[in-house]
């Protein structure tokens, strides 16, 4: 299927980031967008013609895991340096530009990883206003000679060319990662490059995006009809709301309730829709069908497959009733767009393969409308605010497509779903009461198929164990455990054991990702 919202942001007031595979390339993009400047991430092997077509104000060469002198190391066309664009190479990007412009990069005996302190040794607009000298290093190779026309503007004890500059050509390099928070004035360095050196204007805002995108959707869709699958999550709700504001009555939203949502969530989605949308809404109660298809299934991957397949069947059946629909709207976000075109995406693709519940049938002969495909999650939330969607919806923690099915370890029954919904509701309620909800990236409960002995009153109990999980993360790829106060956990545990029949023991999961995953299945 073709996406119809792909090449729509036409501006030359933007930065193009060439991605050499660093784990933190997306952070560069986020930092630039936070400055109010649009940017895009493209594979390093983009051609000179494509760059010309995009017509950016400047280029950033990202970091990456390779060594510039390795065979098959990711390279760029040398001509790119003759485009007269300001260029900022970060880590691998710095080494690459050195190598290509006549400097020298060598293997180090020791990897430099972690915090370092830069010493600014020459004035440069790139480092103007940098006060905090702490930066974050992560490199194996080092530059031993810089190209003609360059000078070192900052050094560290281990990196004499920590920051280099060719002021005349506006080409810069940093050995460290200014985009990560541990580089304390890294944002300032990026700002200096984007605003002062590349002369970008800060005109990227969700208010502007909303207006442009509504006009864009109107133009693309014309008088045709659009179908949109709502999941109750932020991405699909914002997608639907944006399209609704553009073409209202030509939109039909389909909400398949698989019965594996959080407590009351199905009802909440219906209410939000009836209050905020003018298009049509189809609510499909498919709880029984999902439960039937999942009966006696314990294997997590099988659960995902069954849910995905059932979802498609139910959705397809409803969608086919809408005559003359031409577009299918999806809440695809920018990280997925970047990842799916990434050169080293073997790993991320396997991780993603199980995230596609709600993926839609290939044979649907519909054109894809993906109005959020240029946005990061925080931008989507901002856009949701511009669209006046309720904060409770916009700020909601991520929720997996297969829902509670992968939080009930082992076989799924209606009784277990009810128990988990009740327990989860108490955990989230207490988190909200303690004002912690927005501090936590994702919090939920997991129902374990383990029974343990307990006492309640004078009676012996023999019931299930429930695990509480709360993590902080940027994108779900890594996560750290959220540290609650122990009194808080005691309170949640007491409430759950007292109020939810079927649970007599509550434990807290202290596993970070890696080595764990966020979900238990
Ligand atoms: P893991 O468990 O892989 O989770 O560390 C990372 C993030 O992805 C979510 N997740 C899923 N989302 N379908 C989804 O739509 C899935 O099958 C799925 N599995 C995990 C998880 O909730 C976390 O936010």
């Amino acid at each position: 299927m073709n996406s119809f919202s792909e090449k729509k942001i036409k501006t030359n007031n933007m930065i193009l980031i060439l991605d050499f595979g660093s784990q933190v390339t997306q952070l560069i993009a986020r930092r630039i967008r936070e400055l109010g400047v649009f940017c895009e991430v493209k594979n390093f092997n983009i051609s000179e013609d494509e760059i010309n077509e995009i017509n950016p104000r400047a280029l950033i060469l990202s970091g990456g895991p390779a060594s510039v002198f390795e065979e098959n190391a990711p390279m760029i066309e040398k001509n790119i340096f003759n485009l007269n664009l300001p260029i900022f190479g970060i880590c691998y990007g710095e080494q690459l530009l050195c190598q290509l412009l006549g400097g020298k990069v060598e293997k180090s005996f020791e990897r430099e990883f972690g915090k370092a302190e830069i010493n600014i040794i020459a004035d440069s607009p790139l480092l103007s206003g940098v006060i905090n000298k702490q930066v974050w290093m992560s490199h194996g190779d080092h530059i031993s000679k810089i190209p003609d026309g360059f000078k070192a503007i900052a050094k560290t004890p281990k990196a004499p060319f920590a920051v280099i500059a060719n002021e005349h050509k506006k080409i810069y390099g940093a050995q460290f990662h200014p985009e990560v928070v541990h580089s304390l004035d890294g944002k300032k360095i990026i700002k200096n490059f984007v605003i002062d050196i590349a002369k970008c204007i800060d005109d990227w805002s969700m208010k502007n995006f909303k207006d442009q995108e509504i006009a864009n959707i109107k133009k693309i869709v014309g008088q045709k009809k659009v179908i949109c699958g709502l999941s109750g999550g932020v991405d699909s709700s914002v997608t639907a709301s944006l399209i609704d504001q553009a073409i209202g009555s030509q939109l039909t939203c389909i909400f398949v309730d698989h019965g594996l949502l959080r407590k009351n969530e199905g009802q909440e989605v219906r209410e939000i829709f009836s209050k905020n949308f003018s298009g049509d809404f189809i609510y499909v109660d498919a709880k029984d069908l999902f439960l039937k298809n999942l009966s006696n299934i314990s294997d997590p991957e099988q659960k995902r497959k069954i849910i995905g397949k059932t979802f498609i069947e139910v959705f397809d059946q409803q969608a086919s009733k809408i005559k003359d629909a031409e577009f299918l709207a999806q809440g695809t976000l920018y990280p997925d767009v970047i990842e799916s075109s990434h050169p080293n995406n073997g790993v991320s693709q396997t991780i993603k393969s199980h995230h596609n519940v709600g993926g839609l049938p290939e044979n649907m002969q519909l054109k894809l409308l993906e109005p959020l495909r240029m946005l990061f999650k925080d931008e989507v939330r901002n856009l949701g605010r511009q669209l006046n969607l309720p904060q409770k919806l916009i700020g909601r923690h991520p929720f997996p497509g297969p829902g509670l099915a992968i939080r009930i370890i082992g076989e799924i029954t209606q009784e277990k779903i009810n128990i988990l919904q009740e327990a989860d509701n108490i955990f989230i309620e207490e988190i909200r009461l303690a004002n912690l909800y927005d501090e936590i990236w994702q919090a939920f409960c997991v129902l374990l198929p383990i029974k343990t002995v307990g006492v309640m009153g004078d009676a012996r109990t023999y019931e299930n164990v429930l695990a509480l999980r709360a993590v902080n993360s940027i994108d779900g790829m890594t996560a750290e455990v959220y540290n609650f106060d122990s009194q808080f956990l005691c309170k949640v545990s007491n409430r759950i054991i007292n109020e939810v029949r079927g649970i007599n023991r509550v434990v807290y999961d202290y596993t970070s990702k890696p080595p764990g995953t966020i979900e238990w299945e």
Side-chain angles (χ1 to χ4, degrees), residues 304 354-357 398-402 406-407 441-442 476 513 517-519:
R304 284 189 169 85
H354 67 253
H355 288 187
N356 56 4
V357 173
F399 189 67
I406 54 166
R407 294 178 179 172
W441 195 73
Q442 196 171 14
K513 173 182 179 177
T517 50
I518 296 176
E519 303 290 347

Side-chain angles (χ1 to χ4, degrees), residues 360-520:
L360 291 158
E362 272 299 315
N363 60 359
M364 270 184 82
Q365 301 309 314
L366 294 170
K367 295 168 192 159
L368 272 188
L369 191 63
E370 297 179 302
L372 310 184
R373 61 181 281 124
M374 282 295 149
L375 304 187
F376 288 108
K377 189 86 177 186
D378 46 343
E379 293 175 317
V380 173
R381 292 206 162 102
N382 253 331
L383 180 60
R385 277 179 210 111
Q386 292 292 334
L387 292 161
N388 292 324
L389 287 172
Q391 177 57 31
K392 193 170 173 206
L393 172 73
I394 293 167
R396 208 168 250 174
H397 289 172
F399 189 67
L404 301 185
I406 54 166
R407 294 178 179 172
I408 293 171
I409 309 303
E411 285 177 29
I412 299 159
T413 62
Q414 187 58 55
E415 192 195 355
K416 288 185 189 170
I417 298 174
N418 297 345
I419 291 176
L420 184 56
Q421 280 179 335
E422 291 304 324
D424 193 72
N425 193 45
I426 292 173
F427 186 32
I428 299 299
E429 195 174 279
E430 286 297 332
I431 287 176
R432 284 195 188 278
L433 281 172
N435 268 331
L436 297 175
Y437 191 82
D438 295 334
E439 258 184 47
I440 298 170
W441 195 73
Q442 196 171 14
F444 56 91
C445 299
V446 183
L447 186 63
L448 309 189
I450 300 169
K451 291 202 174 217
T452 67
V453 175
V455 277
M456 265 192 123
D458 292 331
R460 174 188 185 273
T461 59
Y462 187 55
E463 286 171 347
N464 284 91
V465 182
L466 181 92
L468 307 177
R469 179 106 169 110
V471 294
N472 270 345
S473 171
I474 291 176
D475 50 13
M477 303 299 273
T478 59
E480 60 203 44
V481 175
Y482 186 81
N483 271 307
F484 289 105
D485 173 296
S486 59
Q487 290 305 312
F488 175 86
L489 289 177
C490 286
K491 186 175 178 202
V492 173
S493 166
N494 278 339
R495 268 200 70 191
I496 291 176
I497 293 169
N498 283 321
E499 295 175 35
V500 185
R501 289 292 283 278
I503 294 169
N504 69 351
R505 193 175 296 270
V506 173
V507 295
Y508 189 61
D509 178 358
Y510 269 104
T511 320
S512 58
K513 173 182 179 177
T517 50
I518 296 176
E519 303 290 347
W520 279 40

Side-chain angles (χ1 to χ4, degrees), residues 10 24 57 85 89 113 132 205 214 300 306-307 313 371 430 517-518:
K10 278 281 164 211
V24 286
R57 288 261 162 102
L85 292 173
F113 183 80
N132 286 303
S205 74
I214 286 178
I306 291 170
I307 292 172
E313 276 164 22
E430 286 297 332
T517 50
I518 296 176

